[in-house]
Amino acid sequence: MPGTNCQKAIQLWSEKNGGANPEEADVVKLLCMSPPIEKMDSSLNQLVNVRHLSLSTNCIDKMISLPALKNIEVLSLGRNLIKKISGLEEIGSTLKELWISYNQISTLDGLAPCVKLTTLFISNNKIKDWPELDKLQANQDLVNVLFYGNPIYEGLSKKQARPKVLEHLPKIATLDGELLTGDDDDGGEEAAE
């Protein structure tokens, strides 16, 4: 059975929301479609006023550019089959949160255009090299990250991973759902004793 296309998903969303006009919607959730969405396509560009777009829990394997989404602040693509972060150039000036956990992403390329990014949820992916985190230094406003469940944490508890993350991203305020305090800098040494 072929997957649900984005146009059909938007139509179903509209019907489920009392005939809401997708062009006027602030929040559009196209998650858990049955059959699942397999491809993002240009029909998503009709969502010109959307601030929060959720395409989570589908079978999307590739991100695409969405030039008409001039107001988007939250893009949720968790629980898909995405291998690479891409297509954010057109929305990077407004995007504040990218929720992309439970995918197959192994690098942190593609986020540099996101100048207002404050939140990156990218847990349970395939990031295995600590230097990948250095790429996020270009995202000056980034303060809230989830990395738990990536191979970089292998053999480490969240507490043991914390100083390693801070080594690469010293401005982080919330890591793996926990607010960091001034005590975090020497927490790793105490844990080792």
Side-chain angles (χ1 to χ4, degrees), residues 6-25 27-30 33 46-47:
C6 291
Q7 183 61 49
K8 179 68 175 170
I10 291 168
Q11 180 187 337
L12 292 169
W13 171 87
S14 178
E15 290 168 8
K16 196 191 294 185
N17 288 278
N21 182 347
E23 292 177 19
E24 296 171 359
V27 176
V28 176
K29 296 184 177 183
L30 309 176
M33 298 306 298
Q46 69 187 284
L47 306 173

Side-chain angles (χ1 to χ4, degrees), residues 117-119 139-145 171-175 180:
L117 194 69
T118 62
T119 301
N139 304 94
Q140 294 290 314
D141 294 343
L142 189 64
V143 293
N144 185 2
V145 294
K171 294 181 182 176
I172 296 302
T174 305
L175 173 61
L180 301 179

